[in-house]
Amino acid sequence: MTPVAAAALAIAIARPGVAPGPELAAEGVVYYDRGHYWIEIAFRDGSGRDTIPPDLAPGRFEITKIGDDSGFRPTRIEVMRGRGSSPSVILSTSRIEGRACYRVIFTPLHGGAVAVDSICDPFAPGAEEGEGRSKAFFRSYVASAFRRDGEGGGLNQLSYSYDFSSERAAARLSVAPRVRVGGWTAEASVKRDETSYALASSGRTAASRASLSASLSRSTWASDLRCSIAASYGVDRTALERASGDSTVRSRSASVEGRARFDNLLDPANRFPASVLAGVEAAFGYSWHGVEGEGPHGGRRGSRLAPYAALRATWTFLYGFRLSYSLLSFWPVSAGETFAAFHSARMRLLLGDVLAKPAERSHHPDVELVWDTGRRPPLLEREERISIGFTFDLYPW
């Protein structure tokens, strides 16, 4: 090896996040754009020149999330040869989650394996030098419980909007911290929102709803599918505003469900950040609801059993628009009901690239248009909501 080549290789080895092989060196970074994560790897040969190894098959890459011993393969590999920029290799799979660090091992056709360590999302938590005990505790156990890490959309939101269905301003709050222990995920959810019930005789009845629930779930990968099972229990209080006098309906609920996510199957379509279809999942379960109080049509007291199915999907397009849709279908086996369905659609204008915000924070508001319609437990009355307003994602760091 010439002195120049030896010096170039020494410089490559000295770079953080670079691990050498006999002929190759590499470095990587995690990127995120509009709900889509990927890892970008840059390779250099023994002379320090940019290169793309031959035979970039998914089987030659192994990705490991630091802190989790189970490895996985990318579902899509793409070589980027941009003008005026160095070539790189993009590894895509829905298993890449935010706020985490990864290790990538590439085994070339000839020569030893090349490892790239500590490829981290910039939002990944980490101890800072000189950090006090209280701040370290907050970052590790409080803030991390609210973070979203790629498992569907987040629930930590605050919104203020004008509800056209009830012709008044309305506020919604949803906070759902989660803790993971031994492969299980425990989550507590606090929600408060407003809706209106459509009545044939007296028009619409406005209602405010507050709920508190807890769930326990476990997820695993089955080939390219993310499968999970969950059990939950919750209490709900709905306050109805009626001309004859306000009333309150209280309910309890319990459910068991299985869920499967199909994001990895859509990686070939999610080729560019300008159009990302993510959060695609289907769920099937069984729920029980107990109700008592004065409902929209008079006194209510009793319980219902209902198998149900749910479909959810989110499409982010043109970098600044996010369209999400969910369908909940129930088949009550009591109270004389045969079928009920609830549709929810949201169009969100993402203002993160329009409004200035502090570095590494996402406290900007987005404009959101909401449309809800249909029937759902516990009341199984027809709900209607059309509103527009500002929505804030909540990240308590």
Side-chain angles (χ1 to χ4, degrees):
M1 180 180 293
T2 65
V4 175
L9 182 59
I11 293 175
I13 295 174
R15 293 182 180 179
V18 178
E23 298 180 358
L24 284 176
E27 55 186 1
V29 65
V30 175
Y31 280 110
Y32 169 81
D33 198 347
R34 304 311 184 193
H36 186 49
Y37 289 94
W38 70 92
I39 292 177
E40 185 170 329
I41 303 292
F43 290 96
R44 292 179 176 82
D45 59 19
S47 302
R49 295 173 299 184
D50 297 323
T51 185
I52 298 296
D55 192 16
L56 294 174
R60 298 191 177 279
F61 288 90
E62 182 179 7
I63 305 173
T64 304
K65 182 179 179 181
I66 295 179
D68 186 351
D69 296 333
S70 59
F72 53 91
R73 311 288 185 185
T75 56
R76 181 172 66 86
I77 297 175
E78 186 173 359
V79 177
M80 301 296 292
R81 302 180 184 272
R83 296 180 179 179
S85 61
S86 302
S88 59
V89 177
I90 292 180
L91 310 179
S92 297
T93 169
S94 292
R95 296 196 185 193
I96 301 174
E97 301 175 348
R99 301 171 178 88
C101 295
Y102 294 88
R103 171 184 173 90
V104 175
I105 299 177
F106 172 68
T107 304
L109 282 170
H110 305 288
V114 181
V116 190
D117 294 308
S118 299
I119 306 175
C120 294
D121 179 0
F123 286 94
E128 300 177 358
E129 293 185 6
E131 189 174 59
R133 287 187 177 182
S134 59
K135 186 175 181 180
F137 179 87
F138 178 84
R139 289 175 59 88
S140 299
Y141 298 100
V142 180
S144 61
F146 286 83
R147 289 174 177 157
R148 296 181 295 179
D149 55 7
E151 299 230 357
L155 293 175
N156 304 306
Q157 294 180 349
L158 170 66
S159 66
Y160 187 81
S161 60
Y162 184 81
D163 189 342
F164 294 95
S165 54
S166 59
E167 298 182 351
R168 65 177 183 179
R172 299 196 308 273
L173 172 67
S174 180
V175 177
R178 60 180 58 168
V179 178
R180 289 181 173 86
V181 179
W184 292 89
T185 300
E187 183 176 287
S189 175
V190 179
K191 298 181 182 179
R192 192 272 182 192
D193 65 355
E194 299 190 17
T195 186
S196 62
Y197 292 95
L199 306 179
S201 59
S202 57
R204 293 185 176 89
T205 297
S208 60
R209 183 171 45 220
S211 62
L212 175 65
S213 64
S215 67
L216 184 66
S217 63
R218 189 179 183 93
S219 300
T220 186
W221 286 98
S223 185
D224 287 335
L225 297 181
R226 182 67 163 173
C227 300
S228 61
I229 185 170
S232 64
Y233 178 82
V235 294
D236 187 283
R237 180 183 181 277
T238 302
L240 299 166
E241 299 178 6
R242 302 187 300 179
S244 58
D246 297 346
S247 62
T248 300
V249 180
R250 291 179 173 83
S251 65
R252 296 165 294 156
S253 64
S255 66
V256 177
E257 75 170 30
R259 182 180 303 170
R261 289 191 61 190
F262 305 95
D263 296 47
N264 266 332
L265 304 180
L266 302 172
D267 277 349
N270 293 335
R271 293 179 58 84
F272 306 102
S275 176
V276 176
L277 186 61
V280 182
E281 62 182 16
F284 302 90
Y286 210 84
S287 64
W288 169 86
H289 296 269
V291 184
E292 62 180 38
E294 287 286 329
H297 289 97
R300 285 290 182 89
R301 186 180 182 89
S303 62
R304 294 185 176 95
L305 294 172
Y308 66 91
L311 297 174
R312 303 178 183 91
T314 299
W315 179 36
T316 304
F317 58 97
L318 298 180
Y319 295 97
F321 298 91
R322 178 172 296 162
L323 178 63
S324 59
Y325 172 78
S326 67
L327 168 65
L328 300 177
S329 300
F330 301 88
W331 290 267
V333 295
S334 60
E337 297 287 346
T338 57
F339 175 77
F342 186 78
H343 304 264
S344 180
R346 282 160 170 72
M347 171 69 80
R348 194 166 179 180
L349 175 60
L350 306 173
L351 300 180
D353 295 334
V354 178
L355 301 179
K357 61 181 185 294
E360 298 188 1
R361 290 185 183 273
S362 300
H363 294 168
H364 58 274
D366 295 335
V367 177
E368 186 177 54
L369 175 65
V370 176
W371 174 69
D372 292 339
T373 185
R375 300 187 302 157
R376 60 178 168 179
L379 301 185
L380 287 177
E381 301 286 354
R382 178 165 294 279
E383 295 183 39
E384 291 184 354
R385 177 168 62 187
I386 300 177
S387 66
I388 187 171
F390 289 96
T391 297
F392 294 78
D393 286 330
L394 304 180
Y395 299 95
W397 54 54

